[in-house]
Coordinates of all heavy atoms in Angstrom, one line a residue:
M1 N -47.4 9.4 -17.6 CA -46.7 9.6 -18.8 C -46.5 8.2 -19.4 O -45.8 7.4 -18.9 CB -45.4 10.3 -18.5 CG -44.6 10.6 -19.7 SD -43.1 11.4 -19.2 CE -43.1 12.7 -20.3
G2 N -47.0 8.0 -20.5 CA -46.9 6.7 -21.2 C -45.9 6.7 -22.3 O -45.2 7.6 -22.6
E3 N -46.0 5.6 -23.1 CA -45.1 5.4 -24.2 C -45.4 6.5 -25.3 O -44.5 6.9 -26.0 CB -45.2 4.0 -24.8 CG -44.1 3.7 -25.8 CD -44.2 2.2 -26.2 OE1 -44.0 1.4 -25.3 OE2 -44.3 2.0 -27.4
A4 N -46.6 6.9 -25.4 CA -47.0 7.9 -26.5 C -46.3 9.2 -26.2 O -45.8 9.9 -27.2 CB -48.5 8.0 -26.5
E5 N -46.1 9.6 -25.0 CA -45.5 10.9 -24.7 C -44.0 10.8 -24.8 O -43.3 11.8 -25.1 CB -45.9 11.4 -23.3 CG -47.3 11.8 -23.1 CD -48.2 10.7 -22.8 OE1 -47.7 9.6 -22.4 OE2 -49.4 10.8 -23.0
R6 N -43.4 9.7 -24.4 CA -41.9 9.5 -24.4 C -41.4 9.0 -25.8 O -40.2 9.1 -26.0 CB -41.5 8.6 -23.3 CG -41.7 9.2 -22.0 CD -41.2 8.2 -20.9 NE -42.0 7.0 -20.9 CZ -42.0 6.1 -20.1 NH1 -41.1 6.1 -19.1 NH2 -42.8 5.0 -20.1
G7 N -42.2 8.4 -26.6 CA -41.7 7.8 -27.8 C -41.5 6.3 -27.6 O -41.7 5.8 -26.5
D8 N -41.1 5.7 -28.6 CA -40.9 4.2 -28.5 C -39.7 3.9 -27.7 O -38.7 4.6 -27.7 CB -40.7 3.6 -29.9 CG -42.0 3.7 -30.7 OD1 -43.1 3.7 -30.1 OD2 -41.9 3.7 -32.0
A9 N -39.8 2.8 -26.9 CA -38.6 2.4 -26.1 C -37.6 1.8 -27.0 O -37.9 1.2 -28.1 CB -39.1 1.3 -25.1
A10 N -36.3 2.0 -26.7 CA -35.2 1.4 -27.5 C -35.3 -0.1 -27.4 O -35.6 -0.7 -26.4 CB -33.9 1.9 -26.9
P11 N -34.9 -0.8 -28.5 CA -34.9 -2.2 -28.4 C -33.9 -2.8 -27.4 O -32.8 -2.2 -27.3 CB -34.6 -2.7 -29.9 CG -34.2 -1.4 -30.6 CD -34.6 -0.3 -29.8
R12 N -34.3 -3.7 -26.7 CA -33.4 -4.3 -25.6 C -33.1 -5.7 -25.9 O -33.8 -6.4 -26.5 CB -34.2 -4.2 -24.3 CG -34.6 -2.9 -23.9 CD -33.6 -2.2 -23.1 NE -34.0 -0.9 -22.7 CZ -33.2 0.1 -22.5 NH1 -31.9 -0.1 -22.6 NH2 -33.7 1.3 -22.1
L13 N -31.9 -6.1 -25.3 CA -31.4 -7.5 -25.4 C -31.2 -7.9 -24.0 O -30.4 -7.3 -23.2 CB -30.1 -7.5 -26.2 CG -29.4 -8.8 -26.3 CD1 -30.3 -9.9 -27.0 CD2 -28.1 -8.7 -27.0
Y14 N -31.8 -9.0 -23.5 CA -31.6 -9.5 -22.2 C -30.6 -10.7 -22.3 O -30.8 -11.6 -23.1 CB -32.9 -10.0 -21.5 CG -33.8 -8.8 -21.2 CD1 -34.7 -8.3 -22.1 CD2 -33.7 -8.2 -20.0 CE1 -35.5 -7.3 -21.9 CE2 -34.5 -7.1 -19.7 CZ -35.4 -6.6 -20.6 OH -36.2 -5.6 -20.4
V15 N -29.5 -10.6 -21.5 CA -28.5 -11.6 -21.5 C -28.4 -12.3 -20.2 O -28.4 -11.6 -19.1 CB -27.1 -11.0 -21.9 CG1 -26.0 -12.0 -22.0 CG2 -27.3 -10.3 -23.2
S16 N -28.3 -13.6 -20.2 CA -28.1 -14.4 -18.9 C -26.7 -14.6 -18.6 O -25.9 -15.0 -19.4 CB -28.8 -15.7 -19.0 OG -30.2 -15.6 -19.1
Y17 N -26.3 -14.3 -17.3 CA -25.0 -14.5 -16.8 C -25.1 -15.5 -15.6 O -26.1 -15.4 -14.8 CB -24.3 -13.2 -16.3 CG -23.9 -12.3 -17.4 CD1 -24.8 -11.3 -17.9 CD2 -22.7 -12.4 -18.0 CE1 -24.5 -10.5 -18.9 CE2 -22.3 -11.5 -19.0 CZ -23.2 -10.6 -19.4 OH -22.8 -9.7 -20.4
Y18 N -24.1 -16.4 -15.4 CA -24.2 -17.4 -14.4 C -22.9 -17.3 -13.5 O -21.8 -17.3 -14.0 CB -24.3 -18.8 -15.0 CG -25.5 -18.9 -15.9 CD1 -25.4 -18.6 -17.2 CD2 -26.8 -19.2 -15.4 CE1 -26.5 -18.7 -18.1 CE2 -27.9 -19.3 -16.2 CZ -27.7 -19.0 -17.6 OH -28.8 -19.1 -18.4
C19 N -23.1 -17.4 -12.2 CA -22.0 -17.4 -11.2 C -21.8 -18.8 -10.7 O -22.6 -19.7 -10.9 CB -22.2 -16.4 -10.1 SG -23.4 -16.9 -8.9
A20 N -20.7 -18.9 -9.9 CA -20.3 -20.3 -9.4 C -21.4 -20.8 -8.4 O -21.5 -22.0 -8.1 CB -19.0 -20.2 -8.7
H21 N -22.2 -19.9 -7.8 CA -23.2 -20.3 -6.8 C -24.5 -20.7 -7.5 O -25.5 -21.0 -6.9 CB -23.5 -19.2 -5.8 CG -22.4 -19.0 -4.8 ND1 -22.2 -17.9 -4.1 CD2 -21.5 -19.9 -4.4 CE1 -21.2 -18.1 -3.3 NE2 -20.7 -19.2 -3.4
G22 N -24.6 -20.6 -8.9 CA -25.7 -21.0 -9.6 C -26.8 -19.8 -9.8 O -27.9 -20.1 -10.3
H23 N -26.4 -18.6 -9.4 CA -27.3 -17.5 -9.6 C -27.4 -17.1 -11.1 O -26.3 -17.1 -11.7 CB -26.9 -16.3 -8.7 CG -26.8 -16.6 -7.3 ND1 -25.8 -16.1 -6.5 CD2 -27.6 -17.4 -6.5 CE1 -26.0 -16.5 -5.3 NE2 -27.0 -17.3 -5.2
E24 N -28.5 -16.7 -11.5 CA -28.7 -16.2 -12.9 C -29.0 -14.8 -12.8 O -29.9 -14.4 -12.1 CB -29.7 -17.0 -13.7 CG -29.9 -16.5 -15.1 CD -31.1 -17.2 -15.8 OE1 -31.8 -18.0 -15.2 OE2 -31.2 -16.9 -17.0
T25 N -28.3 -14.0 -13.6 CA -28.5 -12.5 -13.7 C -28.9 -12.2 -15.1 O -28.2 -12.7 -16.0 CB -27.3 -11.7 -13.2 OG1 -26.9 -12.2 -11.9 CG2 -27.5 -10.3 -13.2
R26 N -29.9 -11.4 -15.3 CA -30.3 -11.0 -16.7 C -30.4 -9.5 -16.8 O -31.5 -9.0 -16.9 CB -31.7 -11.7 -16.9 CG -31.7 -13.2 -17.0 CD -32.9 -13.7 -17.5 NE -33.4 -12.9 -18.7 CZ -33.7 -13.3 -19.9 NH1 -33.7 -14.6 -20.1 NH2 -34.1 -12.5 -20.8
P27 N -29.3 -8.9 -17.0 CA -29.3 -7.4 -17.3 C -29.7 -7.2 -18.7 O -29.6 -8.0 -19.6 CB -27.8 -7.0 -17.1 CG -27.0 -8.2 -17.3 CD -27.9 -9.4 -16.9
A28 N -30.3 -6.0 -18.9 CA -30.8 -5.6 -20.2 C -29.7 -4.6 -20.8 O -29.2 -3.8 -20.2 CB -32.1 -4.8 -20.1
F29 N -29.5 -4.9 -22.1 CA -28.6 -4.0 -22.9 C -29.3 -3.5 -24.1 O -30.3 -4.1 -24.6 CB -27.3 -4.9 -23.4 CG -26.5 -5.4 -22.2 CD1 -26.7 -6.7 -21.8 CD2 -25.6 -4.6 -21.6 CE1 -25.9 -7.2 -20.8 CE2 -24.8 -5.1 -20.6 CZ -25.0 -6.4 -20.2
A30 N -28.8 -2.4 -24.7 CA -29.3 -1.9 -25.9 C -29.1 -3.0 -27.0 O -28.0 -3.7 -26.9 CB -28.7 -0.6 -26.3
A31 N -30.0 -3.2 -27.9 CA -29.8 -4.2 -28.9 C -28.6 -4.1 -29.7 O -28.0 -5.1 -30.1 CB -31.1 -4.2 -29.8
D32 N -28.1 -2.9 -29.9 CA -26.9 -2.7 -30.7 C -25.6 -2.6 -29.9 O -24.5 -2.3 -30.4 CB -27.0 -1.6 -31.6 CG -27.3 -0.3 -30.9 OD1 -27.6 -0.3 -29.7 OD2 -27.2 0.8 -31.5
A33 N -25.7 -2.8 -28.5 CA -24.5 -2.6 -27.7 C -23.7 -3.9 -27.7 O -24.2 -5.0 -27.9 CB -25.0 -2.3 -26.2
Q34 N -22.4 -3.7 -27.4 CA -21.5 -4.9 -27.2 C -21.7 -5.5 -25.8 O -21.6 -4.8 -24.8 CB -20.1 -4.5 -27.4 CG -19.1 -5.7 -27.4 CD -17.7 -5.3 -27.7 OE1 -17.4 -4.1 -27.9 NE2 -16.8 -6.2 -27.5
V35 N -22.0 -6.8 -25.8 CA -22.3 -7.4 -24.5 C -21.0 -7.9 -23.8 O -20.2 -8.5 -24.5 CB -23.2 -8.7 -24.8 CG1 -23.4 -9.5 -23.5 CG2 -24.5 -8.3 -25.4
P36 N -20.8 -7.5 -22.6 CA -19.5 -7.9 -21.9 C -19.5 -9.4 -21.6 O -20.5 -10.0 -21.5 CB -19.6 -7.1 -20.6 CG -21.0 -6.7 -20.4 CD -21.6 -6.7 -21.7
E37 N -18.2 -9.9 -21.6 CA -18.0 -11.3 -21.4 C -18.3 -11.7 -19.9 O -18.8 -12.8 -19.7 CB -16.6 -11.7 -21.7 CG -16.2 -11.4 -23.1 CD -16.0 -12.6 -23.9 OE1 -15.8 -13.7 -23.3 OE2 -16.0 -12.5 -25.1
T38 N -18.0 -10.8 -19.0 CA -18.3 -11.1 -17.6 C -19.2 -10.1 -16.9 O -19.3 -8.9 -17.4 CB -17.0 -11.2 -16.8 OG1 -16.3 -10.0 -16.8 CG2 -16.1 -12.3 -17.3
W39 N -19.8 -10.4 -15.8 CA -20.7 -9.5 -15.1 C -20.6 -9.9 -13.6 O -20.6 -11.1 -13.3 CB -22.1 -9.7 -15.6 CG -23.1 -8.6 -15.2 CD1 -23.9 -8.7 -14.2 CD2 -23.2 -7.4 -15.9 NE1 -24.7 -7.5 -14.1 CE2 -24.3 -6.7 -15.2 CE3 -22.7 -6.8 -17.0 CZ2 -24.7 -5.4 -15.5 CZ3 -23.1 -5.5 -17.3 CH2 -24.1 -4.9 -16.6
D40 N -20.6 -9.0 -12.7 CA -20.6 -9.3 -11.3 C -22.0 -9.7 -10.8 O -23.0 -8.9 -11.1 CB -20.1 -8.1 -10.5 CG -18.6 -7.9 -10.6 OD1 -17.9 -8.8 -11.0 OD2 -18.1 -6.8 -10.3
C41 N -22.1 -10.8 -10.1 CA -23.4 -11.2 -9.6 C -23.9 -10.3 -8.6 O -23.2 -10.0 -7.6 CB -23.3 -12.6 -9.1 SG -24.8 -13.3 -8.4
P42 N -25.1 -9.7 -8.7 CA -25.6 -8.8 -7.7 C -26.1 -9.5 -6.4 O -26.2 -8.8 -5.4 CB -26.8 -8.1 -8.4 CG -27.3 -9.1 -9.4 CD -26.0 -9.8 -9.9
R43 N -26.2 -10.8 -6.4 CA -26.6 -11.5 -5.2 C -25.5 -11.8 -4.3 O -25.5 -11.7 -3.1 CB -27.4 -12.7 -5.5 CG -28.8 -12.4 -6.1 CD -29.6 -13.6 -6.5 NE -29.9 -14.4 -5.3 CZ -30.4 -15.6 -5.4 NH1 -30.7 -16.2 -6.5 NH2 -30.6 -16.3 -4.3
C44 N -24.3 -12.3 -4.9 CA -23.2 -12.8 -4.1 C -21.9 -12.0 -4.4 O -20.9 -12.2 -3.6 CB -23.0 -14.3 -4.2 SG -22.6 -14.8 -5.9
G45 N -21.9 -11.3 -5.5 CA -20.7 -10.5 -5.8 C -19.6 -11.3 -6.6 O -18.6 -10.7 -6.9
L46 N -19.8 -12.5 -6.8 CA -18.8 -13.3 -7.6 C -18.9 -13.0 -9.1 O -19.9 -12.5 -9.6 CB -19.1 -14.8 -7.4 CG -18.9 -15.4 -6.0 CD1 -19.3 -16.9 -6.0 CD2 -17.4 -15.2 -5.6
P47 N -17.8 -13.2 -9.8 CA -17.9 -13.0 -11.2 C -18.8 -14.0 -11.9 O -18.9 -15.1 -11.4 CB -16.4 -13.1 -11.7 CG -15.8 -13.9 -10.6 CD -16.5 -13.6 -9.4
S48 N -19.5 -13.6 -13.0 CA -20.3 -14.6 -13.7 C -20.0 -14.4 -15.2 O -19.5 -13.4 -15.6 CB -21.8 -14.3 -13.4 OG -22.1 -13.0 -13.6
N49 N -20.3 -15.4 -16.0 CA -20.1 -15.4 -17.4 C -21.4 -15.9 -18.1 O -22.4 -16.3 -17.5 CB -18.8 -16.1 -17.8 CG -18.9 -17.6 -17.6 OD1 -19.9 -18.1 -17.3 ND2 -17.7 -18.2 -17.7
L50 N -21.2 -16.0 -19.4 CA -22.4 -16.5 -20.2 C -22.6 -18.0 -20.3 O -23.6 -18.4 -20.7 CB -22.2 -15.9 -21.7 CG -22.0 -14.4 -21.8 CD1 -21.6 -14.0 -23.2 CD2 -23.3 -13.7 -21.4
D51 N -21.6 -18.7 -19.8 CA -21.7 -20.2 -19.9 C -22.3 -20.8 -18.6 O -21.6 -20.8 -17.6 CB -20.3 -20.7 -20.1 CG -20.2 -22.2 -20.4 OD1 -21.3 -22.9 -20.4 OD2 -19.1 -22.8 -20.6
S52 N -23.5 -21.3 -18.7 CA -24.2 -21.8 -17.5 C -23.5 -23.1 -17.0 O -23.6 -23.4 -15.8 CB -25.6 -22.1 -17.8 OG -25.8 -23.1 -18.8
T53 N -22.9 -23.9 -17.9 CA -22.3 -25.1 -17.5 C -20.8 -25.0 -16.9 O -20.3 -25.9 -16.3 CB -22.2 -26.2 -18.6 OG1 -21.5 -25.6 -19.7 CG2 -23.6 -26.5 -19.1
N54 N -20.2 -23.8 -17.2 CA -18.9 -23.6 -16.8 C -18.7 -22.1 -16.3 O -18.0 -21.4 -16.9 CB -17.9 -23.9 -17.9 CG -16.5 -23.9 -17.4 OD1 -16.2 -24.1 -16.3 ND2 -15.5 -23.7 -18.4
P55 N -19.3 -21.8 -15.1 CA -19.2 -20.4 -14.6 C -17.7 -20.2 -14.1 O -17.0 -21.2 -13.7 CB -20.2 -20.3 -13.5 CG -20.4 -21.7 -13.0 CD -20.2 -22.6 -14.3
P56 N -17.3 -19.0 -14.0 CA -15.9 -18.7 -13.5 C -15.8 -19.1 -12.0 O -16.7 -18.9 -11.3 CB -15.7 -17.2 -13.7 CG -17.1 -16.7 -13.8 CD -18.0 -17.7 -14.4
P57 N -14.6 -19.6 -11.6 CA -14.4 -20.0 -10.2 C -14.4 -18.7 -9.4 O -14.0 -17.6 -9.8 CB -13.1 -20.7 -10.2 CG -12.4 -20.2 -11.4 CD -13.4 -19.9 -12.4
P58 N -14.7 -18.8 -8.1 CA -14.5 -17.7 -7.2 C -13.1 -17.3 -7.1 O -12.2 -18.1 -7.2 CB -15.0 -18.2 -5.8 CG -15.7 -19.5 -6.1 CD -15.2 -20.0 -7.4
P59 N -12.8 -16.0 -7.0 CA -11.4 -15.5 -6.9 C -10.8 -16.0 -5.6 O -11.4 -16.1 -4.6 CB -11.5 -14.0 -7.0 CG -12.9 -13.7 -6.6 CD -13.8 -14.8 -6.9
K60 N -9.5 -16.3 -5.7 CA -8.8 -16.7 -4.5 C -8.5 -15.5 -3.7 O -7.9 -14.5 -4.2 CB -7.5 -17.4 -5.0 CG -6.7 -18.0 -3.8 CD -5.5 -18.8 -4.2 CE -4.8 -19.3 -3.0 NZ -3.5 -20.0 -3.4
I61 N -8.8 -15.6 -2.4 CA -8.6 -14.4 -1.5 C -7.3 -14.7 -0.8 O -7.2 -15.7 -0.1 CB -9.8 -14.3 -0.6 CG1 -11.0 -14.0 -1.4 CG2 -9.5 -13.2 0.4 CD1 -12.3 -14.0 -0.5
E62 N -6.4 -13.8 -0.9 CA -5.1 -13.9 -0.2 C -5.3 -13.5 1.2 O -6.0 -12.5 1.5 CB -4.1 -13.0 -0.9 CG -3.7 -13.3 -2.3 CD -2.9 -14.6 -2.4 OE1 -2.1 -14.9 -1.5 OE2 -3.1 -15.3 -3.4
P63 N -4.7 -14.2 2.2 CA -4.8 -13.8 3.6 C -4.1 -12.5 3.8 O -3.2 -12.1 3.1 CB -4.1 -14.9 4.3 CG -3.2 -15.6 3.3 CD -3.8 -15.4 2.0
Y64 N -4.5 -11.8 4.8 CA -4.0 -10.5 5.2 C -2.5 -10.7 5.6 O -2.2 -11.6 6.4 CB -4.8 -9.9 6.4 CG -4.1 -8.6 6.9 CD1 -4.2 -7.4 6.2 CD2 -3.4 -8.6 8.0 CE1 -3.7 -6.3 6.7 CE2 -2.8 -7.5 8.5 CZ -2.9 -6.3 7.8 OH -2.3 -5.2 8.3
K65 N -1.7 -9.8 5.1 CA -0.2 -9.9 5.5 C 0.1 -8.6 6.2 O -0.3 -7.5 5.8 CB 0.7 -9.9 4.2 CG 0.6 -11.3 3.5 CD 1.7 -11.2 2.4 CE 1.6 -12.4 1.6 NZ 2.6 -12.4 0.5
T66 N 0.9 -8.7 7.2 CA 1.4 -7.6 8.0 C 2.6 -7.0 7.2 O 3.1 -7.5 6.3 CB 1.9 -8.0 9.4 OG1 3.0 -8.9 9.2 CG2 0.8 -8.7 10.2
H67 N 2.9 -5.8 7.7 CA 4.1 -5.1 7.1 C 5.3 -6.0 7.3 O 6.2 -6.1 6.4 CB 4.3 -3.7 7.8 CG 5.5 -3.0 7.3 ND1 5.6 -2.5 6.0 CD2 6.7 -2.8 7.9 CE1 6.8 -1.9 5.9 NE2 7.5 -2.1 7.0
L68 N 5.5 -6.6 8.4 CA 6.6 -7.4 8.7 C 6.7 -8.6 7.7 O 7.8 -9.0 7.3 CB 6.6 -7.9 10.2 CG 7.7 -8.8 10.6 CD1 9.1 -8.1 10.4 CD2 7.5 -9.3 12.0
A69 N 5.6 -9.2 7.4 CA 5.6 -10.3 6.4 C 6.1 -9.8 5.1 O 6.8 -10.6 4.4 CB 4.2 -10.9 6.3
Y70 N 5.7 -8.7 4.6 CA 6.2 -8.1 3.3 C 7.7 -7.9 3.4 O 8.4 -8.1 2.5 CB 5.4 -6.9 2.9 CG 4.1 -7.2 2.4 CD1 2.9 -6.8 3.1 CD2 3.9 -7.8 1.2 CE1 1.7 -7.0 2.6 CE2 2.6 -8.0 0.7 CZ 1.5 -7.6 1.4 OH 0.3 -7.9 0.9
V71 N 8.1 -7.3 4.5 CA 9.6 -7.1 4.7 C 10.4 -8.4 4.7 O 11.4 -8.5 4.0 CB 9.9 -6.3 6.0 CG1 11.3 -6.2 6.3 CG2 9.3 -4.9 5.9
K72 N 9.8 -9.4 5.3 CA 10.5 -10.7 5.3 C 10.6 -11.3 4.0 O 11.5 -12.1 3.7 CB 9.9 -11.6 6.3 CG 10.2 -11.3 7.8 CD 9.5 -12.3 8.7 CE 9.9 -12.0 10.1 NZ 9.4 -13.0 11.1
E73 N 9.6 -11.0 3.1 CA 9.7 -11.5 1.7 C 10.8 -10.9 1.0 O 11.4 -11.5 0.1 CB 8.4 -11.2 1.0 CG 7.2 -12.1 1.4 CD 6.0 -11.8 0.6 OE1 6.0 -10.9 -0.2 OE2 5.0 -12.4 0.9
R74 N 11.2 -9.6 1.3 CA 12.2 -8.9 0.5 C 13.6 -9.1 1.1 O 14.6 -8.9 0.4 CB 11.8 -7.4 0.5 CG 10.6 -7.1 -0.3 CD 10.5 -5.6 -0.5 NE 10.7 -4.8 0.7 CZ 9.7 -4.3 1.5 NH1 8.5 -4.6 1.2 NH2 10.0 -3.6 2.6
R75 N 13.7 -9.3 2.4 CA 15.0 -9.4 3.1 C 15.3 -10.8 3.7 O 14.4 -11.4 4.2 CB 15.0 -8.4 4.2 CG 14.7 -7.0 3.8 CD 15.9 -6.1 4.0 NE 15.5 -4.7 3.9 CZ 15.7 -4.0 2.8 NH1 16.2 -4.5 1.7 NH2 15.4 -2.7 2.8
S76 N 16.5 -11.2 3.6 CA 16.9 -12.4 4.2 C 17.2 -12.1 5.7 O 17.3 -10.9 6.1 CB 18.1 -13.0 3.6 OG 19.2 -12.2 3.8
D77 N 17.3 -13.1 6.5 CA 17.6 -12.9 7.9 C 19.0 -12.3 8.1 O 19.2 -11.4 9.0 CB 17.6 -14.3 8.7 CG 16.2 -14.8 8.9 OD1 15.2 -14.0 8.7 OD2 16.1 -16.0 9.1
A78 N 20.0 -12.6 7.2 CA 21.3 -12.0 7.3 C 21.2 -10.5 7.0 O 21.8 -9.7 7.7 CB 22.2 -12.7 6.4
E79 N 20.5 -10.2 6.0 CA 20.3 -8.7 5.6 C 19.6 -8.0 6.7 O 20.0 -6.8 7.1 CB 19.5 -8.6 4.3 CG 20.2 -9.0 3.1 CD 19.3 -9.0 1.9 OE1 18.1 -9.4 2.0 OE2 19.7 -8.5 0.8
A80 N 18.6 -8.6 7.4 CA 17.9 -7.9 8.5 C 18.9 -7.7 9.6 O 18.9 -6.6 10.3 CB 16.7 -8.8 8.9
A81 N 19.7 -8.7 9.9 CA 20.7 -8.5 11.0 C 21.7 -7.4 10.7 O 22.0 -6.6 11.6 CB 21.4 -9.8 11.3
D82 N 22.1 -7.3 9.5 CA 23.1 -6.2 9.1 C 22.4 -4.9 9.3 O 23.0 -3.9 9.8 CB 23.5 -6.4 7.7 CG 24.5 -7.6 7.5 OD1 25.0 -8.1 8.5 OD2 24.6 -8.1 6.4
I83 N 21.2 -4.7 8.8 CA 20.4 -3.4 8.9 C 20.2 -3.1 10.4 O 20.4 -1.9 10.8 CB 19.1 -3.5 8.1 CG1 19.4 -3.6 6.6 CG2 18.2 -2.3 8.4 CD1 18.1 -4.0 5.8
L84 N 19.9 -4.0 11.2 CA 19.7 -3.8 12.6 C 21.0 -3.3 13.3 O 21.0 -2.4 14.0 CB 19.1 -5.0 13.3 CG 18.9 -4.9 14.8 CD1 17.9 -3.8 15.1 CD2 18.4 -6.2 15.4
K85 N 22.1 -4.0 12.9 CA 23.4 -3.7 13.5 C 23.8 -2.2 13.1 O 24.2 -1.5 13.9 CB 24.5 -4.6 12.9 CG 25.8 -4.5 13.7 CD 26.9 -5.4 13.1 CE 26.4 -6.7 12.5 NZ 27.5 -7.5 12.0
E86 N 23.5 -1.9 11.8 CA 23.8 -0.5 11.4 C 23.0 0.5 12.1 O 23.5 1.6 12.5 CB 23.6 -0.4 9.9 CG 24.6 -1.1 9.0 CD 24.2 -1.1 7.5 OE1 23.3 -0.2 7.1 OE2 24.7 -1.9 6.8
A87 N 21.7 0.3 12.3 CA 20.8 1.2 13.0 C 21.2 1.4 14.4 O 21.2 2.5 15.0 CB 19.4 0.7 12.9
L88 N 21.6 0.3 15.1 CA 22.0 0.4 16.5 C 23.3 1.1 16.6 O 23.5 1.9 17.6 CB 22.1 -1.0 17.1 CG 20.8 -1.8 17.4 CD1 21.1 -3.2 17.8 CD2 20.0 -1.0 18.4
Q89 N 24.2 0.9 15.7 CA 25.5 1.6 15.8 C 25.3 3.1 15.5 O 25.9 4.0 16.2 CB 26.5 1.1 14.7 CG 27.9 1.7 14.8 CD 28.5 1.4 16.2 OE1 28.4 0.3 16.7 NE2 29.0 2.4 16.8
A90 N 24.4 3.5 14.6 CA 24.1 4.9 14.4 C 23.4 5.5 15.6 O 23.8 6.7 16.0 CB 23.1 5.1 13.2
L91 N 22.6 4.8 16.3 CA 21.9 5.3 17.5 C 23.0 5.5 18.6 O 23.0 6.5 19.3 CB 20.9 4.3 18.0 CG 20.1 4.6 19.3 CD1 19.3 5.9 19.1 CD2 19.2 3.5 19.6
R92 N 23.9 4.5 18.8 CA 25.0 4.6 19.8 C 25.9 5.8 19.5 O 26.3 6.5 20.5 CB 25.8 3.3 19.9 CG 25.0 2.2 20.5 CD 25.8 0.9 20.6 NE 25.0 -0.2 21.0 CZ 24.7 -1.3 20.3 NH1 25.3 -1.5 19.1 NH2 23.9 -2.3 20.8
D93 N 26.2 6.0 18.2 CA 27.1 7.1 17.9 C 26.4 8.5 18.2 O 27.0 9.4 18.7 CB 27.4 7.1 16.4 CG 28.3 5.9 16.0 OD1 28.9 5.3 16.9 OD2 28.4 5.6 14.8
R94 N 25.1 8.6 18.0 CA 24.4 9.8 18.3 C 24.3 10.1 19.8 O 24.5 11.2 20.3 CB 23.0 9.8 17.7 CG 23.0 10.0 16.2 CD 21.6 10.2 15.7 NE 20.8 9.0 15.9 CZ 19.6 8.8 15.5 NH1 19.0 9.8 14.8 NH2 18.9 7.7 15.8
R95 N 24.1 9.0 20.5 CA 24.1 9.1 22.0 C 25.4 9.5 22.5 O 25.5 10.3 23.5 CB 23.6 7.8 22.6 CG 22.1 7.6 22.5 CD 21.7 6.4 23.3 NE 20.3 6.2 23.2 CZ 19.6 5.2 23.6 NH1 20.3 4.1 24.1 NH2 18.3 5.1 23.5
A96 N 26.5 9.0 22.0 CA 27.8 9.3 22.4 C 28.2 10.7 22.1 O 28.9 11.4 22.9 CB 28.9 8.3 21.8
A97 N 27.6 11.3 21.1 CA 27.9 12.7 20.7 C 27.0 13.6 21.5 O 27.2 14.8 21.4 CB 27.6 12.9 19.2
G98 N 26.1 13.1 22.4 CA 25.3 14.0 23.2 C 24.1 14.5 22.6 O 23.4 15.4 23.1
E99 N 23.7 13.9 21.5 CA 22.5 14.3 20.8 C 21.2 13.8 21.5 O 21.2 12.6 22.0 CB 22.5 13.7 19.3 CG 21.4 14.3 18.4 CD 21.6 13.7 17.0 OE1 22.7 13.5 16.6 OE2 20.5 13.4 16.4
V100 N 20.2 14.6 21.6 CA 19.0 14.2 22.3 C 18.1 13.4 21.3 O 17.8 13.9 20.2 CB 18.2 15.5 22.8 CG1 16.9 15.0 23.5 CG2 19.1 16.2 23.8
I101 N 17.7 12.3 21.7 CA 16.9 11.4 20.9 C 15.6 11.1 21.5 O 15.5 10.7 22.7 CB 17.6 10.0 20.7 CG1 19.0 10.3 20.0 CG2 16.8 9.1 19.8 CD1 19.9 9.1 19.9
Y102 N 14.5 11.4 20.8 CA 13.2 11.2 21.3 C 12.6 9.9 20.8 O 12.6 9.6 19.7 CB 12.3 12.3 21.0 CG 12.7 13.6 21.7 CD1 13.5 14.6 21.1 CD2 12.3 13.8 23.0 CE1 13.8 15.7 21.7 CE2 12.7 15.0 23.7 CZ 13.5 15.9 23.0 OH 13.8 17.0 23.7

């Protein structure tokens, strides 16, 4: 099946995008489509833009944080001590009342 059976191909526009590793990506767009400012590099996954001399920097990857690290960001040591004291007192009160705790 050739062009005669399908009709004429839509006019295309090839745009070059450049990532921080120097990869060039040339996706095709319809000639009348709005071209995006950024594009993800298919080789390395970094963001790329239209400026070959000034590609976007790689995104900063935050290290993995544990649940405890997030809690420590929200609570001071004094607040944590107060919460622990309240929880222990509630536990002692329930034990003194004869409640079964699993």
Side-chain angles (χ1 to χ4, degrees):
M1 182 182 226
E3 192 172 300
E5 290 86 18
R6 290 184 292 190
D8 291 334
R12 302 270 180 211
L13 174 65
Y14 291 91
V15 179
S16 292
Y17 290 91
Y18 303 92
C19 74
H21 287 159
H23 303 141
E24 179 183 6
T25 304
R26 292 190 44 126
F29 298 97
D32 59 348
Q34 184 177 356
V35 176
E37 301 251 339
T38 61
W39 193 263
D40 287 339
C41 178
R43 289 181 62 192
C44 64
L46 292 177
S48 56
N49 65 10
L50 302 169
D51 187 0
S52 64
T53 59
N54 191 21
K60 185 177 179 184
I61 298 172
E62 295 291 328
Y64 174 77
K65 288 186 186 179
T66 63
H67 176 71
L68 180 59
Y70 284 110
V71 170
K72 286 183 175 184
E73 285 180 1
R74 294 190 313 263
R75 307 246 191 260
S76 68
D77 289 340
E79 289 174 318
D82 290 342
I83 292 169
L84 178 61
K85 190 184 328 179
E86 289 173 16
L88 288 174
Q89 188 59 47
L91 180 63
R92 290 181 186 119
D93 292 345
R94 285 189 298 185
R95 285 186 176 169
E99 191 177 322
V100 178
I101 301 171
Y102 293 99

